Amino acid sequence: GAVVSQHPSRVICKSGTSVKIECRSLDFQATTMFWYRQFPKQSLMLMATSNEGSKATYEQGVEKDKFLINHASLTLSTLTVTSAHPEDSSFYICSARVMGAAGELFFGEGSRLTVL
Amino acid sequence: TQLLEQSPQFLSIQEGENLTVYCNSSSVFSSLQWYRQEPGEGPVLLVTVVTGGEVKKLKRLTFQFGDARKDSSLHITAAQPGDTGLYLCAGEFSSASKIIFGSGTRLSIRP
């Protein structure tokens, strides 16, 4: 199957700092990537849809100025959590859709963010 | 707002028993996927169903897509401890072109 790599897998930062998470499709081009957030023992909540070469589409309730998404190339999307606070601590997961494959998503390994 | 309801939320059964997990929505899916997730990892795709009434089998797992494409089920036969994990359904709604996840079913199989 298609491979999606996410980095870093774990990050700890101080409150008020910004953290960047990278999502790369290693063996395919992804015009669309999705960013999800997952709290402990809960399901995945879609945060935003990242479109190559255009602005991301954010879900209702997600602050676009706090969660900056950049999809600069067909293989890379980044999520920057700006001015992080402890309540931003979560598991962030990116996924990419293989072009032509109906609905299938391939996921990165996830990034666990802990804000102190 | 498109929502996916998944049931049950938790299920703990004895090894060898059968079980079924359900995924329902009031909206029509253009496609539906089932994933399994281990703690600290990303979800892994099990199956994709596209056609109403479709049935797919993956060893002891049987996936069914409702005729109206609004619901799906996952049936596991003779459950084994290795089946333990979080099972997630995810649907793509043709009107939105995004994939929404159900609430998940946390399955525990006792030896």
Side-chain angles (χ1 to χ4, degrees):
Chain A
V3 179
V4 176
S5 177
Q6 199 170 329
H7 177 82
S9 58
R10 291 178 182 273
V11 57
I12 301 173
C13 69
K14 293 182 179 180
S15 185
T17 60
S18 295
V19 174
K20 179 184 285 188
I21 301 170
E22 293 186 346
C23 180
R24 294 180 184 274
S25 56
L26 298 185
D27 52 359
F28 67 100
Q29 294 182 330
T31 54
T32 304
M33 290 183 175
F34 302 90
W35 286 95
Y36 292 86
R37 183 175 181 178
Q38 187 176 31
F39 290 108
K41 300 185 186 295
Q42 294 188 22
S43 186
L44 281 70
M45 296 291 294
L46 180 64
M47 298 175 66
T49 302
S50 171
N51 303 297
E52 188 268 337
S54 64
K55 292 183 179 180
T57 304
Y58 289 82
E59 293 300 300
Q60 191 173 7
V62 178
E63 300 175 58
K64 62 181 180 180
D65 294 331
K66 180 168 186 61
F67 298 100
L68 299 179
I69 292 174
N70 184 279
H71 197 149
S73 76
L74 288 172
T75 58
L76 174 64
S77 176
T78 60
L79 167 68
T80 301
V81 183
T82 62
S83 186
H85 288 101
E87 57 265 31
D88 298 324
S89 298
S90 188
F91 194 51
Y92 293 88
I93 309 176
C94 73
S95 67
R97 186 198 304 267
V98 177
M99 292 176 65
E104 289 185 35
L105 290 181
F106 292 90
F107 284 83
E109 308 93 330
S111 299
R112 181 160 303 283
L113 170 63
T114 302
V115 185
L116 302 176
Chain B
T1 302
Q2 294 110 345
L3 293 174
L4 281 181
E5 295 183 356
Q6 200 171 330
S7 62
Q9 277 191 287
F10 302 96
L11 189 57
S12 178
I13 62 172
Q14 203 72 33
E15 180 178 2
E17 294 182 352
N18 303 331
L19 66 109
T20 303
V21 177
Y22 300 92
C23 181
N24 296 284
S25 174
S26 57
S27 302
V28 175
F29 302 112
S30 57
S31 69
L32 185 138
Q33 297 86 47
W34 284 92
Y35 294 85
R36 180 169 167 230
Q37 185 182 24
E38 299 286 350
E41 299 179 8
V44 175
L45 179 68
L46 295 175
V47 77
T48 298
V49 286
V50 178
T51 306
E54 185 175 4
V55 176
K56 283 191 174 181
K57 292 193 175 184
L58 184 65
K59 295 183 180 179
R60 292 177 294 101
L61 279 60
T62 301
F63 304 86
Q64 188 158 7
F65 201 16
D67 291 339
R69 306 207 325 265
K70 292 184 177 182
D71 58 273
S72 180
S73 64
L74 157 61
H75 183 79
I76 300 179
T77 304
Q80 299 177 2
D83 295 328
T84 294
L86 177 65
Y87 289 81
L88 297 159
C89 66
E92 180 172 18
F93 300 92
S94 54
S95 62
S97 298
K98 58 187 178 183
I99 295 180
I100 305 296
F101 279 79
S103 51
T105 296
R106 194 163 296 279
L107 176 64
S108 174
I109 309 299
R110 303 187 302 273

